[in-house]
Structures are given as C-alpha cells and as structure tokens.
Amino acid sequence: MDSQSLTWQQTLAQAFTHIDDLCRHLKLNSSQLELLSDEKNFPLLVPRGFANLMQVGNPNDPLLRQVLPLQAEMLNFPGYSQDPVGDLAAVASAGLIHKYHGRALMIVTGACAIHCRYCFRRNFPYGEQQLSKQKLQQAIDYLNCHTEINELILSGGDPLLFNDDKLAALLAKLHTVPHLQRIRLHTRVPVVLPERMTPTLLDIFSTSKLQLVMVIHANHGNELSAELNKVCVELKKRNITLLNQSVLLKGVNDDEKTLYQLSEKLFSFGILPYYLHSLDKANGTGHFAVPAQTELALIEYLRKHLPGYLVPKLVREQAGALFKLPLS
C-alpha cells in the first residue's frame, strides 16, 4: 500500500516496536549500544517518520537518544520516584487532576504515538485514571461544581490519539460547562505523527466554541519537519495558539547552539517557546539529568542572545507546589 494512502492509524501501526529493527533502519550495531535487555514495562515505540529524521549511523543522534531504551534506565538515583510531580495526590476525580488555580488537567488516554524514555508519566497507572463514559461524567460534574476552573488541559498519554468521534464528543461535553473559556491540548502528535492531523480533525477544532491552545512538545530543532510546518499553517488558519514545551535533556539539547536554534526554528513555524522543563525525577530517567549550574548557564545564554518572546521559561514542577517553579 502506498504510504500516501495509509490512514494515520495504519501509519502508527507500522511504527518501530523492536530495537533491532530500529537499529537496522539506522545502520547501527545494537550489540554496541548498551541497550536495555527487558523493556516490556515501557516498550519501544517510534513512528517511522520520526525515525527518518534521525541521522543514519549516529548512535548519539539527539532524536534517537530520546527513544532508545538503555541499561542506564536501571540505575537508581536519589530523589527519583514513580510519581515525581505528585499527580496521584492531585487526582480530584477519576481522570481529572486539579493542582493549580483556574485550571485542571484531564487524562484523556494512556496511549502515546511515541515512547519517550524521559517521560515523567512512564509509571503512571493509566488503567485506573483514563476516561470511561462513567468517569467522564464524574469529571464533568466536578468541573461544573468548580466555577473557578476556566481552562481545561487535555493530556495523557496524548489526547490526539483519541479517534475523531470520541474527541468530537468530548469537546461537545466540555462545551456544556458554562465557565470554561479555553481548552489546552498537550500533544506530541503533530511532531511525531503529523499524519494524524487530518482535515476531519482540523474541522473538529474549527467547530470548538472555546478558545484552543495547542502546546506541542519538541526538544530539538531536527524534530521540526516540513510536515509539521504544514500542520502549523493549518492550525494557525483556525486561530489556534501554538506553544512549545521542551525538556532539558543530557546529550539531546543541553548546549547553547541547540536551544538557540530550536527557539528560532519554532518561531519560523509560528510556534512560541513556552516552557523548558528541568527533568522530572521519574524512576528510570536519571541519566538524562542536566546539572543545575548548566541549566542556569543555558537559560542565561538564551536571554542574552534571543528576544524575550523566544526565551522559554526554565521551570521545575514540584509536587504540592501551587505553580511551576521558575529557575533563575
């Protein structure tokens, strides 16, 4: 079947799920990579389009490093845990997390289009928290009772892996909450699976009665493809505000040039840099941590070399805090 005729579901079904297959695709010797021998609890998942953005033959490619299961995930680091940002303590209703004033977060699905090894929810009990019809109604009831919530964040997993009918029905339900003003979508899909951004999905966005904000997730300029650029043009036509959040990752984007180029390229796509997250301390991710002194030096460099609107906020999320903590 021609790649142009595949549905986005079929494209995702062809993603790499075995390390050896991905290594062969990139002409890498898997025996030399210190790979994780057992990754069944958080298996490899890499769409082929994203893999095609990686440099063939380079074991240190910054996109590959984000998805490659390594033995280093088995190392124990002090202060790391299963729930580093306190999501479970902030569950207000099944599938609904309420941490901050004026906004709440809905766990739409546990599914993602890619498995990022630094994920802070890699150990999250999605089976208990993701939406069912009954849980959705409970979440809507909670929102109706809390009139101070004017923005709802759809997250997961990735909310854009909901099929069109389910997503349209969810938005219709949210339209019934009178005090909601904005829907914010946290998604990596436009970056790693742009095929999902179909005309039907864009039409669903166009019919929303609420202001839509899309926060995509890209960590390196090499992730910003021509296909993503086309998606951004269509989203902007529909008056959707586009922001980006990144995670500061050792060996991926912990250098001045990479972060500078990322901000510039994001803006050329019509996306504003929003957050640069200090790594959330989830078990299995400690090898990605960047020293605090380096983090501060990097953000200082960006402040000196970029206009203020292209400098992302360097933040750390701390369990129980009333907002994300700025680092400076």
Side-chain angles (χ1 to χ4, degrees):
M1 184 180 291
D2 187 273
S3 61
Q4 295 300 314
S5 62
L6 294 177
T7 65
W8 68 267
Q9 293 97 331
Q10 290 169 326
T11 300
L12 183 57
Q14 292 184 355
F16 289 104
T17 55
H18 297 287
I19 296 176
D20 286 341
D21 291 339
L22 178 60
C23 288
R24 276 193 294 270
H25 179 75
L26 296 172
K27 295 181 170 53
L28 295 172
N29 186 343
S30 60
S31 65
Q32 298 176 351
L33 292 176
E34 298 184 348
L35 297 170
L36 190 64
S37 58
D38 181 6
E39 26 115 22
K40 62 184 178 183
N41 292 327
F42 192 47
L44 179 86
L45 180 64
V46 185
R48 288 179 178 267
F50 190 77
N52 288 339
L53 299 175
M54 300 174 187
Q55 184 180 3
V56 172
N58 181 7
N60 296 313
D61 178 86
L63 277 57
L64 176 64
R65 283 186 60 82
Q66 296 179 52
V67 299
L68 195 63
L70 297 174
Q71 292 177 19
E73 294 182 27
M74 301 304 295
L75 298 174
N76 291 318
F77 291 85
Y80 284 66
S81 68
Q82 297 290 86
D83 182 22
V85 299
D87 276 347
L88 294 178
V91 171
S93 173
L96 198 67
I97 295 172
H98 190 187
K99 291 183 182 180
Y100 305 135
H101 178 79
R103 55 207 183 276
L105 183 147
M106 182 175 283
I107 300 290
V108 175
T109 175
C112 281
I114 191 168
H115 287 173
C116 303
R117 309 312 299 182
Y118 54 87
C119 180
F120 71 97
R121 288 201 184 115
R122 56 183 290 164
N123 306 303
F124 191 79
Y126 284 108
E128 302 169 17
Q129 297 299 333
Q130 65 187 18
L131 290 181
S132 63
K133 186 175 292 187
Q134 180 180 10
K135 289 177 180 178
L136 173 58
Q137 189 54 53
Q138 292 172 356
I140 296 294
D141 292 343
Y142 182 90
L143 292 172
N144 276 316
C145 290
H146 288 263
T147 57
E148 78 279 9
I149 297 176
N150 59 22
E151 180 177 57
L152 184 67
I153 301 164
L154 302 185
S155 184
D158 199 304
L160 296 190
L161 286 195
F162 245 25
N163 67 40
D164 293 336
D165 290 342
K166 287 183 177 180
L167 191 58
L170 173 59
L171 291 175
K173 274 274 191 183
L174 296 176
H175 290 160
T176 67
V177 181
H179 47 275
L180 275 186
Q181 298 174 12
R182 291 182 301 278
I183 300 293
R184 195 194 321 170
L185 296 144
H186 281 192
T187 177
R188 194 135 159 77
V189 158
V191 176
V192 304
L193 191 70
E195 296 87 351
R196 171 65 183 107
M197 310 302 289
T198 62
T200 302
L201 179 61
L202 294 169
D203 286 344
I204 291 172
F205 292 154
S206 296
T207 60
S208 176
K209 299 176 183 177
L210 301 172
Q211 186 175 8
L212 294 182
V213 178
M214 184 173 291
V215 183
I216 71 164
H217 177 182
N219 299 310
H220 194 283
N222 290 355
E223 300 176 46
L224 306 182
S225 64
E227 290 74 17
L228 172 62
N229 197 13
K230 293 175 185 176
V231 167
C232 291
V233 169
E234 295 302 318
L235 292 170
K236 296 290 280 187
K237 285 180 182 177
R238 290 157 176 82
N239 297 315
I240 297 173
T241 300
L242 299 179
L243 306 173
N244 181 70
Q245 58 182 343
S246 304
V247 182
L248 194 53
L249 301 166
K250 183 178 179 181
V252 174
N253 58 8
D254 57 334
D255 67 274
E256 299 166 348
K257 181 180 178 181
T258 295
L259 292 175
Y260 176 90
Q261 292 178 339
L262 174 60
S263 281
E264 287 284 7
K265 193 169 183 180
L266 283 167
F267 190 64
S268 75
F269 280 35
I271 306 166
L272 277 176
Y274 176 37
Y275 277 143
L276 178 60
H277 291 270
S278 182
L279 181 72
D280 294 317
K281 296 182 177 181
N283 286 340
T285 69
H287 57 294
F288 284 114
V290 175
Q293 186 175 357
T294 302
E295 292 180 326
L296 297 177
L298 288 170
I299 203 68
E300 183 70 11
Y301 175 87
L302 295 182
R303 290 186 182 125
K304 289 178 179 177
H305 291 84
L306 287 169
Y309 57 88
L310 291 188
V311 179
K313 300 178 182 71
L314 177 63
V315 295
R316 176 180 294 123
E317 187 164 1
Q318 182 173 303
L322 298 179
F323 49 86
K324 289 182 173 62
L325 304 179
L327 304 179
S328 62

